[in-house]
Amino acid sequence: DGGITQSPKYLFRKEGQNVTLSCEQNLNHDAMYWYRQDPGQGLRLIYYSQIVNDFQKGDIAEGYSVSREKKESFPLTVTSAQKNPTAFYLCASSISIATNEKLFFGSGTQLSVL
Amino acid sequence: EDQVTQSPEALRLQEGESSSLNCSYTVSGLRGLFWYRQDPGKGPEFLFTLYSAGEEKEKERLKATLTKKESFLHITAPKPEDSATYLCAVQEGTDKLIFGTGTRLQVFP
C-alpha cells in the first residue's frame, strides 16, 4: 500500500543531543513537509521541499535541519538549539506545492525531552 | 495577517444529535479549503477539498459547505466512531497551507 512511514513512533531526547526523525514515502510525490503540532495550536510548518536537493524554511525552522537526497526520504533533525522540542511531529507529502492538492500525512512521532 | 479560526474548540454530542463545526478564514485569494480528521496519536486523514463559494461535498454522515468567509462541516446523526479532532486548512494562491487549531468532537452513546 502506498503511504508515508514515520519512525520512530516515540523518541526521547537528552539535553544537548541531536535527534533525527525519519520520513519515507512511496507515493511518488514531489513535495514533502514537516509540521509540528502542540496542544491547542494549529499545525505549524517547519520545513518543506518541492524537489530533491532543495528545501525551504517554514514558519518555525530555527533549531531544526532537513535534507532531501532522495525523492522518497525527508528526514528531520531536531538540534540542541531547539530549546522546546517536546511536540508531535508530522511528516506529509503532496503531488506538488503549486497545485491545491491534498496532503497525505504519516502517523507522527512524539518527541519528548528527558 | 491571514488567519483560520475554528469553533467551537470542543463539542460533545449525544449519538444521533446533529450539529455543525465552523471554520472562518480571512485569506484574500482562496485556492482551496481542506477538512481533515485526526484521531489521537495519529496523523490527519483527508476528508474534503472545497474550491469555491457555494460548493458542497458529502461523505457518509459528513457534509462540508463553503462561503466566501467560512466553511461548515455538518455532522448528521453522529455515531461514537465520529469522535475525533477535525482540522480545517486554507491555501492562498500557491502558498503553503494555514491550519486552524481544530474542533475536538466527542460523541457519546
Side-chain angles (χ1 to χ4, degrees):
Chain A
D1 288 337
I4 300 179
T5 302
Q6 288 188 243
S7 63
K9 180 66 176 175
Y10 301 96
L11 187 58
F12 297 90
R13 194 192 86 168
K14 296 179 181 178
E15 189 173 343
Q17 184 183 43
N18 294 350
V19 293
T20 298
L21 284 61
S22 171
C23 177
E24 303 278 332
Q25 57 102 354
N26 60 4
L27 299 168
N28 199 33
H29 286 171
D30 286 324
M32 296 188 75
Y33 315 77
W34 275 105
Y35 287 91
R36 171 177 172 144
Q37 188 173 35
D38 295 277
Q41 297 194 39
L43 273 67
R44 292 184 290 168
L45 185 62
I46 305 172
Y47 269 97
Y48 62 101
S49 169
Q50 300 185 70
I51 56 172
V52 174
N53 293 323
D54 183 58
F55 48 83
Q56 287 79 41
K57 293 181 178 180
D59 300 318
I60 55 166
E62 185 174 352
Y64 300 97
S65 66
V66 294
S67 63
R68 187 88 185 274
E69 297 177 0
K70 299 186 300 181
K71 186 175 184 177
E72 304 80 16
S73 179
F74 192 42
L76 173 74
T77 296
V78 183
T79 75
S80 57
Q82 172 49 246
K83 298 306 180 187
N84 183 25
T86 297
F88 190 54
Y89 290 85
L90 288 161
C91 179
S93 71
S94 67
I95 294 174
S96 77
I97 290 175
T99 61
N100 50 355
E101 298 287 341
K102 63 187 179 186
L103 297 181
F104 291 78
F105 285 89
S107 56
T109 293
Q110 177 64 50
L111 175 62
S112 302
V113 177
L114 290 176
Chain B
E1 178 182 333
D2 295 337
Q3 193 166 283
V4 178
T5 303
Q6 291 189 248
S7 62
E9 287 187 14
L11 182 61
R12 294 164 56 98
L13 298 174
Q14 203 70 34
E15 184 172 2
E17 179 186 1
S18 301
S19 187
S20 296
L21 282 55
N22 177 265
C23 173
S24 63
Y25 60 92
T26 57
V27 298
S28 56
L30 180 69
R31 187 75 185 270
L33 185 143
F34 302 79
W35 282 100
Y36 290 86
R37 168 191 170 128
Q38 185 176 24
D39 293 302
K42 296 188 177 181
E45 178 183 333
F46 172 78
L47 292 173
F48 305 108
T49 307
L50 302 167
Y51 299 102
S52 58
E55 189 174 0
E56 299 182 352
K57 289 192 177 175
E58 290 188 63
K59 180 181 180 180
E60 296 180 355
R61 295 176 292 281
L62 300 177
K63 179 180 178 181
T65 62
L66 181 64
T67 72
K68 290 185 177 181
K69 295 288 186 183
E70 58 192 349
S71 176
F72 290 94
L73 185 64
H74 307 278
I75 302 177
T76 302
K79 298 182 177 182
E81 52 262 43
D82 294 321
S83 297
T85 295
Y86 290 86
L87 302 175
C88 169
V90 167
Q91 184 177 26
E92 179 183 26
T94 59
D95 208 348
K96 57 188 182 294
L97 291 180
I98 304 170
F99 280 86
T101 55
T103 293
R104 188 173 68 255
L105 174 66
Q106 292 179 292
V107 182
F108 295 91

